[in-house]
């Protein structure tokens, strides 16, 4: 069998081509747009399937140098740390705290059920993590980060299993969120606030304070990007990544498992809370440019992660994965319908948040926003849900990573 090895530059070039292939297909196939399947996932999976076919027919085996994959992964997750502003926590008050606790409980349940089913079917318990919150709440990003780590621990097929579950989650999160929330709205005869209502009660503070709090960032997003602003953004990311790697090395020295991006997130969050809004200050953070670099990092990282899948490693795992997938979907439906809705107050806002949690709890934040939009377009606005769900969705990756680390250290 012919063996082909691509160096890091060739792998990056292929990843870009596959990303644009995915974009081209997404623009022409409606279901890909409706389910918010990322372009990088589309292109990467197509290549992974083609690579699998070549391997199965004994024609060719392709592998890659993943140095740049790790770099872009670290760049993306470090950028997430810049969203960790302390003022976000004050905006939603008690309901934001409740929502964060509910998501944490959901993450734990997803992992517990995954572990139980994996062990029942004769698999290593860490395979349950690979089909638990790692791909469900974490999506393709966390699957691409933790999958190789589990593979290094001897869990064969962890990467492919996790990526397959993440794709399943994107689809199911978009399918069950709207119907579940819609049934709650019909059953309890709920409706949204009046479109003319510009001020609504917050758990703490009022709308005007929130607007003032956001004003510097909103003005910043209107600034024109320049090479110097992109240079500052890239410099901040690289510094956070570098110092963050030292943090991870210290953790490794003391036998504490940390994902490779954990230190970068912490340093970025620290800088975010020390930031200045004066562009001339050293602690000024160009948010728009960091978001642009984060998008670049995520797309290249995902494309490289997906195209490097070895689908032949899924042999013998289809049964356990199918069983775990069905249980994860049922768990999400029961948890959100009977627990989340009740804890959040049995209100219209709570119903809309059910749709959102189904979206990012099985898929991704864009799926959550699509679920909520489909409901509010018909039943009225839900301003609090639109505020809280994206905040919790952005923080969920950090909560999820922490819980995954705890489970991995317990089961390794």
């Amino acid at each position: 069998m012919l063996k082909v090895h691509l160096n890091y530059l060739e792998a990056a070039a292929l990843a870009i081509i596959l990303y644009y292939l995915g974009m081209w297909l997404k623009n022409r196939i409606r279901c890909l747009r409706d389910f918010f399947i990322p372009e990088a996932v589309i292109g990467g999976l197509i290549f992974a399937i083609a690579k699998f076919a070549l391997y199965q027919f004994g024609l060719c085996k392709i592998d890659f140098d993943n140095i740049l994959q790790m770099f872009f992964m670290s760049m993306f997750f470090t950028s997430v740390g810049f969203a960790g502003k302390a003022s976000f926590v004050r905006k939603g008050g008690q309901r934001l705290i409740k929502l964060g606790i509910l998501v944490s409980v959901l993450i734990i349940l997803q992992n517990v059920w995954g572990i139980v089913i994996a062990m029942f079917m004769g698999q290593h318990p860490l395979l349950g993590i690979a089909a638990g919150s790692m791909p469900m709440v974490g999506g393709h990003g966390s699957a691409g980060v933790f999958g190789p780590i589990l593979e290094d621990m001897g869990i064969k097929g962890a990467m492919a299993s996790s990526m397959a579950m993440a794709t399943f989650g994107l689809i199911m999160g978009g399918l069950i969120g709207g119907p579940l929330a819609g049934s709650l709205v019909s059953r309890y005869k709920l409706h949204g606030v009046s479109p003319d209502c510009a001020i609504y009660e917050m758990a703490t503070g009022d709308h005007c304070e929130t607007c003032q709090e956001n004003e510097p960032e909103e003005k910043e997003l209107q600034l024109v990007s320049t090479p110097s602003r992109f240079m500052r953004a890239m410099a901040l990311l690289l510094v956070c990544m570098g110092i963050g790697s030292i943090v991870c090395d210290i953790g490794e020295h003391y036998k504490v498992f940390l994902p490779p991006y954990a230190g970068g997130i912490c340093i970025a969050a620290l800088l975010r809370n020390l930031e200045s809004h004066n562009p001339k200050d050293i602690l000024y953070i160009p948010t728009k440019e960091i978001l642009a670099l984060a998008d670049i990092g995520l797309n290249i990282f995902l494309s490289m992660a997906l195209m490097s899948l070895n689908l032949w490693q899924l042999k013998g795992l289809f049964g356990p994965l199918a069983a775990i997938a069905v249980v994860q979907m049922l768990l999400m439906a029961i948890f959100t319908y009977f627990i989340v809705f009740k804890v959040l107050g049995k209100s219209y806002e709570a119903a809309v948040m059910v749709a959102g949690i189904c979206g990012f709890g099985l898929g991704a934040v864009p799926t959550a926003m699509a679920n909520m939009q489909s409901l509010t377009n018909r039943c009225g606005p839900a301003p609090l849900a639109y505020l809280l769900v994206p905040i919790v969705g952005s923080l969920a990756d950090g909560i999820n990573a922490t819980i995954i680390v705890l489970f991995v250290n317990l089961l390794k």
Side-chain angles (χ1 to χ4, degrees):
M1 180 186 297
L2 177 66
K3 293 185 178 180
V4 176
H5 176 77
L6 302 182
N7 65 33
Y8 68 99
L9 292 177
E10 294 164 342
L14 178 59
I16 292 295
I17 293 172
L18 293 175
Y19 169 78
Y20 281 103
L21 171 63
M23 179 183 291
W24 184 82
L25 291 171
K26 188 173 180 178
N27 288 335
R28 286 159 177 79
I29 302 175
R30 181 175 178 178
C31 67
L32 297 177
R33 298 193 302 271
D34 290 345
F35 290 131
F36 290 86
I37 309 295
E39 293 87 347
V41 173
I42 298 169
L45 280 177
I46 289 175
F47 184 82
I49 293 170
K51 185 174 71 168
F52 172 72
L54 291 173
Y55 179 84
Q56 285 297 102
F57 286 109
L59 299 176
C60 180
K61 183 179 180 181
I62 305 173
D63 60 13
F64 311 91
D65 189 326
N66 68 349
I67 293 176
L68 286 181
Q69 178 183 331
M70 298 300 294
F71 172 81
F72 286 114
M73 175 271 294
S74 182
M75 188 171 83
F76 166 70
F77 278 100
T78 299
S79 70
V80 172
F82 285 103
K85 198 171 184 178
S87 60
F88 288 170
V89 179
R90 298 195 297 267
K91 294 180 183 178
Q94 292 184 356
R95 274 189 273 193
L96 177 59
I97 295 172
K98 287 180 180 179
L99 194 55
I101 293 173
L102 287 168
V103 170
S104 300
V105 172
L106 174 64
I107 290 170
I108 293 171
L109 291 175
Q110 286 180 336
N111 287 320
V112 168
W113 277 113
I115 292 168
V116 169
I117 295 173
M119 293 178 67
F120 179 77
M121 303 190 75
Q123 302 294 325
H124 194 286
L126 283 179
L127 182 65
I129 302 294
S133 70
M134 183 195 305
M136 297 286 93
V137 170
H140 290 89
S142 291
V145 171
F146 286 102
I149 293 173
L150 294 183
E151 295 265 5
D152 291 341
M153 291 181 173
I155 312 302
K156 293 183 178 180
M159 176 72 170
S161 300
S162 195
M163 285 294 184
M165 288 291 291
T167 303
F168 164 83
L170 273 174
I171 297 171
M172 296 313 301
L175 288 178
I176 71 172
L180 273 177
S183 66
L184 288 170
V185 169
S186 299
R187 178 180 177 184
Y188 292 95
K189 297 181 173 57
L190 304 172
H191 57 82
V193 299
S194 168
D196 297 327
C197 182
I199 301 175
Y200 58 94
E201 183 179 355
M202 299 289 289
T204 59
D206 57 30
H207 184 74
C208 293
E209 291 177 2
T210 303
C211 292
Q212 291 171 4
E213 214 169 55
N214 280 337
E215 187 176 354
E217 291 179 8
E218 291 171 356
K219 287 184 177 179
E220 179 191 42
L221 292 178
Q222 296 172 3
L223 294 175
V224 176
S225 293
T226 62
S228 63
R229 287 175 61 84
F230 269 106
M231 182 62 193
R232 177 183 283 265
M234 193 67 198
L236 285 170
L237 285 171
L238 289 173
V239 168
C240 290
M241 290 161 61
I243 299 176
S245 69
I246 297 174
V247 174
C248 292
D249 289 342
I250 293 173
E252 184 178 352
H253 176 75
Y254 288 100
K255 309 298 182 182
V256 177
F257 166 76
L258 291 173
Y261 59 81
I265 289 181
C266 294
I267 302 301
L270 176 62
L271 288 182
R272 179 64 168 176
N273 286 281
L274 297 174
E275 72 172 321
S276 166
H277 294 296
N278 183 353
K280 296 182 180 180
D281 288 347
I282 192 171
L283 290 178
Y284 173 74
I285 297 174
T287 304
K288 185 170 73 169
E289 287 72 22
I290 285 178
L291 291 174
L293 291 172
D295 192 50
I296 293 170
L298 176 62
N299 286 321
I300 298 178
F301 156 59
L302 283 184
S303 185
M304 296 185 77
L306 268 292
M307 75 185 197
S308 63
L309 286 180
N310 295 323
L311 295 179
W312 53 85
Q313 294 178 347
L314 285 175
K315 289 182 178 180
L317 296 177
F318 179 78
L321 283 181
I324 295 173
V326 171
V327 170
Q328 296 290 15
M329 185 177 64
L330 293 175
L331 169 64
M332 178 62 69
I334 293 170
F335 183 78
T336 54
Y337 194 93
F338 293 104
I339 298 177
V340 172
F341 181 66
K342 182 178 179 180
V343 171
L344 294 180
K346 289 188 175 182
S347 64
Y348 175 71
E349 295 274 9
V352 176
M353 282 188 264
V354 164
I357 292 175
C358 286
F360 76 73
L362 288 176
V365 173
T367 308
M369 303 308 292
N371 286 349
M372 295 194 297
Q373 185 179 30
S374 67
L375 188 65
T376 56
N377 283 346
R378 294 173 54 189
C379 305
L384 186 60
Y386 272 80
L387 172 67
L388 298 187
V389 168
I391 292 175
V392 176
S394 65
L395 296 176
D397 282 338
I399 299 171
N400 187 35
T402 302
I403 294 174
I404 290 173
V405 168
L406 292 174
F407 271 101
V408 170
N409 280 293
L410 286 172
L411 297 173
K412 66 180 180 180

